[in-house]
Amino acid sequence: MPGILRRILLVEDSSADAELTHEALLEYAVANGVDWVKDGAEALDFLFCRGAFEGRIFEPPAVILLDLKLPKIDGLEVLRTIRTTPHLRAIPVVVLTSSQEEKDLIHGYSHGANAYVVKPVDGAEFIKAVGSLGVFWAMVNAPPPALSPEAT
Amino acid sequence: MVGLGGITYMSWREAQASLALLSIGGIAFFVARSAHFQRTLRERNSLLESEVLQRTEAERESRRLNQELLASNQELEAFAYSVAHDLRAPLRHVNGFALLLQKEMREKASPKALHQLEVIQSSAHRMGHLIDDLLTYSRLGRADLHKVAVPLTTLLEQVRLDLTEEEADRRVEWHIGPLPTVTGDPTLLRLALQNLISNALKFTRHRDPAILEVGGRPEGGITFYIKDNGTGFDMRYLDKLFKPFQRLHPQEDYEGTGIGLANVQRVLARHGGQAWAEGQLGQGATFFFHIPSEDPESTPPPLCDAPIQGKALPCQES
């Protein structure tokens, strides 16, 4: 889809990780622009254009980068809500987490994550991982056609 | 007492009296003895009863302690895992921001400042490896075992292929004897073999050629060994060899975090077996492991995850 680049939604409670993610996307020339929310509740408010995001015009993100361990509503719950909401369910979601626990991997995929990326502990590797997944999901991948909340 | 008859008569009477006395004494004696026996029996019985009671009590106590130990071990594992896990995030920030700062300052900072940034990054990098190793070690202790028949020869070939590809420019002489099939978790066993073989290759780095001998013997299961002609080690430090993060060589000489052999030991412990080693400084080393057979008739070997003291032997022999 040529034309306007869809934005990336980053759901991340650590501001340091959010800053590193920004830097990584900059470094890899991902020019989509990032919306950053800090917990699961805020992420759902953003996606449903309610609460603090009341009046926002809905635009599906190119990809949602979703941390799992989040305050208020955790990442899996956010993912489950996205996958059971008609106008949101097709949006690519990449789980971006520190957890290498097998049960988190299983739950991540069974709840419908499109990819599961363990945040590398090494700074350079983190930038490489996040940068290249930004390039793929925001620039290479063709996103699903946008559905408006009213249409469904 | 005159005459034979008299004697006989007296004797008869005397005999009768004696017999009577004897009988009384005898009965008394037997009664006494029987009472004594009964008393002893009662005492013994009650002693036995209290011993049985004590033993039951002790068994119950030992079962309770075992359960407590198991629970606290699991708790400790979970704690180690969560600590290691939670350390990753701040470490990523140290490392990541040092990298960003270095990029930012590349043109402006002095060579000394850039060097210091370099040190921060490489130390954080190393700590990252330590943490990841700790997580692996912890996972090995908790992972579910999926036991199948594992032909060691095939597993060894796969591992050897992976590892020798990186060492193509070296001369390595392999002597591989026949190896049996064992019942075990292939992922865990592969990790153990990987560690043992990469160690053998690492510590023969300065030998030309490196000579590695691999073999196995059936000994109530299987005893596997890998012998090298490498750097070897001083037997005085044997007890350190299989402990996590213990190293016998400086980082500059041989890289590594010191988790490899601890992982090997843990894999073997999970299979009811054990790993041990023999060596001599400058003369090479031999690493062994034993996996007991899965015969349901045989008594299960004790779990030996404990650090080894001195020349360690498989558990079931000690």
Side-chain angles (χ1 to χ4, degrees):
Chain A
M1 263 214 300
I4 313 149
L5 285 173
R6 294 216 197 147
R7 296 174 67 81
I8 293 168
L9 176 62
L10 173 65
V11 190
E12 171 63 75
D13 63 324
S14 153
S15 57
D17 270 348
E19 200 177 330
L20 279 180
T21 302
H22 273 282
E23 289 293 336
L25 295 174
L26 266 182
E27 177 112 1
Y28 277 71
V30 180
N32 298 54
V34 178
D35 292 305
W36 172 35
V37 290
K38 287 180 150 186
D39 60 55
E42 215 183 322
L44 292 178
D45 283 353
F46 181 88
L47 288 169
F48 286 99
C49 304
R50 66 190 185 201
F53 302 96
E54 185 84 60
R56 184 181 83 92
I57 295 160
F58 177 76
E59 259 182 284
V63 63
I64 300 173
L65 303 181
L66 181 66
D67 195 5
L68 286 186
K69 237 170 110 180
L70 290 168
K72 294 176 193 167
I73 298 172
D74 75 19
L76 285 178
E77 184 60 32
V78 173
L79 182 55
R80 203 188 56 76
T81 309
I82 290 170
R83 289 297 180 246
T84 51
T85 305
H87 75 283
L88 300 177
R89 64 155 36 116
I91 299 170
V93 176
V94 175
V95 171
L96 187 57
T97 173
S98 294
S99 175
Q100 305 175 35
E101 284 278 305
E102 200 179 80
K103 71 166 174 35
D104 283 338
L105 270 154
I106 293 168
H107 286 150
Y109 281 115
S110 66
H111 281 66
N114 297 78
Y116 190 107
V117 178
V118 177
K119 293 173 185 169
V121 77
D122 187 86
E125 282 168 30
F126 179 88
I127 285 173
K128 192 173 150 200
V130 173
S132 51
L133 79 83
V135 168
F136 178 80
W137 288 104
M139 292 160 84
V140 177
N141 184 55
L147 295 174
S148 73
E150 294 77 28
T152 53
Chain B
M1 301 184 200
V2 280
L4 269 163
I7 293 167
T8 311
Y9 174 74
M10 287 303 283
S11 296
W12 172 242
R13 290 225 7 219
E14 270 177 6
Q16 261 190 328
S18 307
L19 202 69
L21 266 171
L22 221 120
S23 304
I24 291 165
I27 289 165
F29 174 73
F30 281 117
V31 167
R33 258 185 71 134
S34 146
H36 172 71
F37 275 142
Q38 275 180 5
R39 207 171 41 246
T40 317
L41 206 65
R42 261 201 309 276
E43 275 167 17
R44 293 251 167 97
N45 264 343
S46 83
L47 202 72
L48 214 64
E49 263 169 34
S50 83
E51 256 177 39
V52 167
L53 212 71
Q54 270 174 11
R55 201 165 293 176
T56 317
E57 192 62 36
E59 267 168 25
R60 199 175 298 138
E61 177 70 3
S62 123
R63 256 203 307 277
R64 190 184 63 78
L65 284 176
N66 249 340
Q67 268 164 1
E68 251 177 46
L69 192 67
L70 203 71
S72 83
N73 260 347
Q74 279 168 352
E75 212 172 282
L76 203 65
E77 287 294 346
F79 175 74
Y81 188 88
S82 85
V83 166
H85 181 258
D86 291 351
L87 284 175
R88 294 179 100 242
L91 188 63
R92 178 170 58 248
H93 304 152
V94 171
N95 195 334
F97 282 89
L99 181 77
L100 295 179
L101 186 59
Q102 193 191 32
K103 276 184 185 159
E104 185 73 25
M105 303 299 286
R106 189 159 290 146
E107 308 298 319
K108 300 166 225 166
S110 67
K112 193 177 170 188
L114 288 177
H115 163 75
Q116 286 162 350
L117 275 171
E118 197 76 52
V119 174
I120 293 175
Q121 279 178 74
S122 75
S123 289
H125 185 81
R126 183 163 161 70
M127 189 174 164
H129 275 297
L130 285 168
I131 288 172
D132 283 345
D133 283 352
L134 192 64
L135 288 171
T136 308
Y137 182 67
S138 167
R139 247 201 309 269
L140 280 180
R142 299 176 305 143
D144 291 333
L145 288 191
H146 304 290
K147 285 191 179 180
V148 293
V150 183
L152 282 184
T153 305
T154 318
L155 196 65
L156 180 81
E157 276 317 298
Q158 289 172 357
V159 171
R160 219 161 60 88
L161 217 69
D162 287 349
L163 291 173
T164 45
E165 223 163 70
E166 304 156 15
E167 316 252 353
D169 51 342
R170 282 180 55 191
R171 280 209 303 160
V172 183
E173 247 178 54
W174 290 88
H175 303 277
I176 301 173
L179 293 168
T181 292
V182 298
T183 306
D185 184 305
T187 315
L188 264 65
L189 289 176
R190 171 188 266 271
L191 190 114
L193 279 187
Q194 228 161 22
N195 274 304
L196 290 175
I197 290 169
S198 75
N199 261 5
L201 286 169
K202 181 157 78 174
F203 292 103
T204 52
R205 190 182 290 159
H206 304 300
R207 297 284 189 269
D208 188 32
I211 303 169
L212 305 182
E213 190 188 320
V214 184
R217 305 186 287 266
E219 280 174 355
I222 178 228
T223 299
F224 169 97
Y225 72 91
I226 175 164
K227 184 177 186 328
D228 67 56
N229 65 333
T231 322
F233 64 90
D234 190 331
M235 285 295 272
R236 275 183 299 174
Y237 305 123
L238 181 63
D239 62 324
K240 287 196 167 184
L241 220 51
F242 291 94
K243 284 185 188 162
F245 305 116
Q246 296 279 348
R247 291 170 45 82
L248 298 185
H249 302 275
Q251 187 66 28
E252 285 76 22
D253 294 354
Y254 293 101
E255 69 290 345
T257 54
I259 197 73
L261 287 174
N263 281 341
V264 171
Q265 189 65 277
R266 196 156 252 208
V267 167
L268 269 304
R270 293 298 308 275
H271 288 81
Q274 194 172 14
W276 69 102
E278 285 167 12
Q280 207 181 334
L281 204 58
Q283 305 288 309
T286 310
F287 286 86
F288 301 87
F289 67 69
H290 179 82
I291 298 177
S293 54
E294 291 240 311
D295 183 9
E297 297 291 302
S298 67
T299 45
L303 207 77
C304 290
D305 205 10
I308 310 152
Q309 298 296 331
K311 188 189 168 215
L313 290 164
C315 277
Q316 63 275 19
E317 288 178 24
S318 58

